[in-house]
Amino acid sequence: MSAPASAPTNVRVHGRIAEIGREAWDACAAPSGNPFVSFDFLDACEQAGCAVEAAGWGPRHLAVEGEAGSVVGVMPLYLKGHSQGEYVFDHAWAQAYEDAGGRYYPKLLSAVPFTPVTGPRLLARPDADAEAVREALLGGALQFCRQSRASSLHVTFPTEADWKRLGGHGLLLRQDVQYWWDNPGYASFEDFLAALSSGRRKTIRRERREALAGLEIQILTGADLTEAHWDAFFAFYEDTGSRKWGQPYLNRRFFSLIGERMADQVVLFLARRGSEPIAGALNFVGGDTLYGRYWGATEPVPFLHFELSYYQAIEYAIARGLKRVEAGAQGEHKLARGYLPRPVYSAHYIADPALRAPVARYLERERPAVAAEMAALEEECSPYRSPSPGREKEGARPR
């Protein structure tokens, strides 16, 4: 094994990811295969004005330099003036701290803006000393937290390995649930249906028939995506965003930038009635996973959400040999459609012991409760006839 190219020597804070540059950033991020930590995705959030200081997302990305001055590690990092667009809820912590006379904002957040997707947060170049780089990044983030007088540092949706590493350095550990679909090697959607109980097979077939009646589904990616498609999809996205959280986090410019830079990693399922687009679900492909991100419709059609967001995603993943579909935050309704509970993680450094102690006690109670809820949901509500996909080797009992 060759020696690491360069040992970490210096950690710098950058107010824009463009200061680090695509080549340097992606040399650390690209090996993960996760599209959301790529330069293009994060830079699009900034270039579109979505993740910027004025929006309460002040970029403070970290870069670790090696002995030769080259970048050997990076960490997405934001100085936040609120807790919106994060999907790991700390509003109660903020309220309690401020009721006691503290100042919770600004805080530091290592995450992908507006995107509750698991991925690496401590990114090291493959030819660097990865452990030393990750130590330098975490140390730099904690030092910057103290220097900037931020109340706290939060790392949301890290990989399990990063999560355990953060816990080993004293960060408070939190666990939550998402619903993912796992592919044990199905050859077709019918193979997937055959793995379900007969009642669930009948229900899914009925939902698909009703959703697709009179509609055409287009699967668009790469050069097939046009600005007209983005216009249509943004109308869907705005409708969903305005109903869920008041106003959408992303703007029309963001989707054009994604279309210019990442079209080959984007898959849009578009429903048309005649020549008129009426609904769409936007996905990203990375490594062995299809990531469902945004959905919306301008015409209410029963079960069309399930069709575009869940069933089309499963068909696409099977056809391309992908191992997983991650369909985003929330949604116990996904269980009946083959998406099972899986853990997601966050880690938290609270600077003030007066807040840290009660938060630590709360998380000590919350973690086992979440784990028990996941186990109960899978045991009692799984639609599969036999052990859940991906769980056969973990001792799951046949149903």
Side-chain angles (χ1 to χ4, degrees):
M1 180 181 294
S2 59
S6 185
T9 60
N10 191 33
V11 181
R12 295 189 185 276
V13 180
H14 295 269
R16 295 171 59 222
I17 194 171
E19 294 175 2
I20 300 171
R22 177 184 284 103
E23 183 178 357
W25 184 278
D26 282 348
C28 305
S32 73
N34 186 295
F36 303 100
V37 294
S38 70
F39 177 92
D40 284 334
F41 188 91
L42 296 174
D43 187 54
C45 292
E46 295 180 25
Q47 290 293 320
C50 303
V52 293
E53 205 91 37
W57 287 80
R60 298 293 188 273
H61 307 302
L62 301 188
V64 178
E65 295 178 352
E67 294 172 353
S70 59
V71 172
V72 295
V74 293
M75 180 181 188
L77 191 64
Y78 300 87
L79 191 66
K80 289 293 306 291
H82 52 68
S83 292
Q84 297 170 14
E86 299 179 12
Y87 303 91
V88 175
F89 300 111
D90 62 348
H91 302 94
W93 306 354
Q95 189 64 53
Y97 195 46
E98 295 187 2
D99 287 348
R103 185 175 63 94
Y104 193 71
Y105 304 106
K107 66 176 187 179
L108 283 172
L109 173 71
S110 179
V112 175
F114 324 116
T115 308
V117 167
T118 294
R121 301 292 178 256
L122 306 171
L123 298 155
R125 211 171 71 191
D127 60 351
D129 182 338
E131 285 305 310
V133 168
R134 294 183 182 113
E135 293 278 338
L137 286 167
L138 179 55
L142 292 170
Q143 182 179 0
F144 182 64
C145 184
R146 293 186 286 267
Q147 289 175 345
S148 63
R149 298 187 178 180
S151 71
S152 47
L153 166 68
H154 307 263
V155 183
T156 57
F157 300 98
T159 61
E160 185 178 8
D162 274 353
W163 184 65
K164 290 178 177 178
R165 180 178 291 104
L166 294 164
H169 285 79
L171 276 71
L172 306 179
L173 298 181
R174 193 174 195 182
Q175 185 173 315
D176 204 346
V177 181
Q178 285 186 358
Y179 297 88
W180 300 354
W181 178 84
D182 291 306
N183 182 8
Y186 298 122
S188 66
F189 194 86
E190 283 299 313
D191 274 2
F192 158 63
L193 289 180
L196 305 179
S197 67
S198 61
R200 288 314 310 164
R201 285 199 299 275
K202 292 176 184 177
T203 298
I204 290 174
R205 287 183 174 128
R206 176 178 57 82
E207 289 179 350
R208 300 201 77 183
R209 282 195 306 271
E210 294 189 27
L212 293 172
L215 299 180
E216 175 194 358
I217 305 299
Q218 286 184 293
I219 302 175
L220 301 164
T221 188
D224 292 336
L225 287 161
T226 68
E227 285 297 298
H229 294 128
W230 290 121
D231 285 339
F233 179 76
F234 188 65
F236 310 145
Y237 170 76
E238 277 193 306
D239 179 73
T240 299
S242 62
R243 285 186 287 104
K244 279 193 172 182
W245 50 78
Q247 68 178 36
Y249 295 125
L250 300 168
N251 58 28
R252 178 64 181 81
R253 172 70 175 145
F254 170 82
F255 292 102
S256 284
L257 290 170
I258 290 301
E260 292 171 10
R261 302 175 179 187
M262 302 181 68
D264 289 341
Q265 294 175 277
V266 169
V267 181
L268 175 60
F269 302 129
L270 191 68
R272 291 182 178 273
R273 188 177 298 284
S275 61
E276 185 69 21
I278 66 163
L282 184 66
N283 303 261
F284 288 76
V285 180
D288 59 4
T289 301
L290 182 70
Y291 299 93
R293 295 301 344 120
Y294 313 111
W295 135 270
T298 51
E299 178 187 322
V301 176
F303 310 119
L304 187 55
H305 178 204
F306 301 154
E307 175 62 30
L308 291 186
S309 297
Y310 308 143
Y311 304 143
Q312 288 287 331
I314 288 172
E315 279 199 320
Y316 187 92
I318 290 172
R320 286 152 185 83
L322 300 176
K323 293 182 179 179
R324 179 172 299 119
V325 178
E326 293 188 21
Q330 304 173 340
E332 288 189 19
H333 60 276
K334 296 170 186 170
L335 264 166
R337 288 149 188 98
Y339 291 73
L340 297 178
R342 298 292 183 255
V344 292
Y345 307 102
S346 62
H348 309 267
Y349 165 75
I350 311 291
D352 188 338
L355 177 61
R356 182 166 66 245
V359 168
R361 290 194 295 270
Y362 170 76
L363 295 180
E364 285 294 327
R365 297 190 301 272
E366 184 188 50
R367 281 195 306 276
V370 169
E373 178 190 15
M374 286 177 53
L377 284 170
E378 186 157 352
E379 177 68 21
E380 298 168 13
C381 303
S382 172
Y384 293 93
R385 293 186 294 109
S386 57
S388 306
R391 292 300 178 97
E392 290 83 349
K393 296 179 181 179
E394 297 179 24
R397 298 194 302 274
R399 293 183 62 78

